[in-house]
Amino acid sequence: MNSQTKIKALFFDFDGTIVDSSKSIFASIQYAMQQLNQPPLDEKMLVTFVGPPLLDSFLRIGLTTNLANEAVLKYREYYQDHMHSVQLYPQMKEVLAQLKDSYQLYIASSKPEVFVKKIARLIDVDQYFTAIYGADLEGKRAKKSQVIAYALSENPNLEPSTIRMIGDRSHDCLGANENKIASIGVTYGFGSIEELEDAGATEIVTRPTQLLEIL
């Protein structure tokens, strides 16, 4: 990667970037819809839930504010017992281990921080990260830009110009842009090349090992 500024830290998205957690996410959404007597969602719609804040996604499909908030609670009720159903992307541990030798690694996720930390421990990737940041459960810190801003506030020694945000959805790139951080898009998750390019990704990779090539 050509850059005038030396990169010191990498912020990673979690779902769709480090792990494929679609099985547990999709099942939790369908459970929430069923509990609220709403029709189930098709897979095309389910995919749109990966990345954005959960409440925003339930509102986007037409639920009222009250129903959407209830859906979030029902989702978490189911998800807490099924969050372990995730699959690490190919060679991700090896990639993280190598990157850790050269950079400080952080997770910046729109998933609640308590869940991200628990899953990272379960799949034994927490060891690679200096710190793990995510959304709160109250909805005050939900958008990716807010999570990134929180991570920056916790690490005042890090300059945005020395960080790269790595993620699979437009929200990762847009959230990074809002915090003056350049972003690397990954297409092996849930977002398309077009989505990532439109959101301002400075580079795009199609598999985890490519991160080693450009970094």
Side-chain angles (χ1 to χ4, degrees):
M1 171 176 284
N2 296 319
S3 175
Q4 296 299 313
T5 308
K6 181 174 169 57
I7 302 169
K8 295 179 181 176
L10 303 174
F11 284 9
F12 278 84
D13 173 46
F14 194 61
D15 296 323
T17 302
I18 293 173
V19 296
D20 177 357
S21 49
S22 56
K23 184 177 178 182
S24 53
I25 290 174
F26 294 173
S28 301
I29 295 164
Q30 300 291 38
Y31 172 82
M33 296 297 282
Q34 181 186 38
Q35 292 297 302
L36 297 176
N37 296 313
Q38 299 293 315
L41 302 178
D42 62 29
E43 187 164 344
K44 190 175 178 182
M45 185 60 75
L46 288 170
V47 168
T48 68
F49 274 70
V50 184
L54 189 57
L55 180 63
D56 289 358
S57 293
F58 279 123
L59 288 169
R60 193 184 65 248
I61 63 169
L63 297 188
T64 64
T65 301
N66 285 344
L67 270 181
N69 279 302
E70 185 68 20
V72 169
L73 294 176
K74 293 297 182 185
Y75 173 100
R76 289 176 179 165
E77 178 183 293
Y78 185 92
Y79 187 77
Q80 286 186 73
D81 294 328
H82 300 83
M83 67 173 76
H84 57 278
S85 298
V86 299
Q87 188 77 42
L88 270 167
Y89 284 111
Q91 296 180 286
M92 183 52 73
K93 277 192 177 182
E94 294 86 337
V95 169
L96 292 174
Q98 286 192 52
L99 290 175
K100 188 175 185 288
D101 289 339
S102 305
Y103 308 99
Q104 293 176 51
L105 307 186
Y106 299 84
I107 289 175
S109 171
S110 294
K111 185 192 287 293
E113 190 172 296
V114 62
F115 292 160
V116 183
K117 286 180 173 178
K118 194 166 186 178
I119 298 168
R121 278 196 303 272
L122 280 170
I123 60 176
D124 196 31
V125 296
D126 58 325
Q127 60 181 306
Y128 303 114
F129 295 96
T130 301
I132 295 174
Y133 302 107
D136 59 12
L137 291 171
E138 293 75 42
K140 293 174 185 172
R141 187 176 70 245
K143 297 183 186 301
K144 184 54 67 84
S145 58
Q146 294 171 325
V147 174
I148 294 172
Y150 169 58
L152 289 172
S153 72
E154 293 289 300
N155 297 276
N157 58 312
L158 286 179
E159 286 290 328
S161 62
T162 66
I163 304 167
R164 292 296 178 270
M165 177 73 213
I166 301 167
D168 70 311
R169 299 303 305 267
S170 61
H171 308 82
D172 300 308
C173 305
L174 295 171
N177 291 346
E178 284 186 46
N179 287 281
K180 297 181 169 56
I181 293 173
S183 56
I184 299 169
V186 305
T187 61
Y188 55 80
F190 296 94
S192 65
I193 290 178
E194 293 76 21
E195 175 184 336
L196 294 164
E197 285 179 342
D198 289 347
T202 51
E203 300 210 37
I204 292 177
V205 302
T206 58
R207 62 185 188 281
T209 51
Q210 262 190 294
L211 290 169
L212 299 175
E213 297 167 22
I214 67 168
L215 291 163

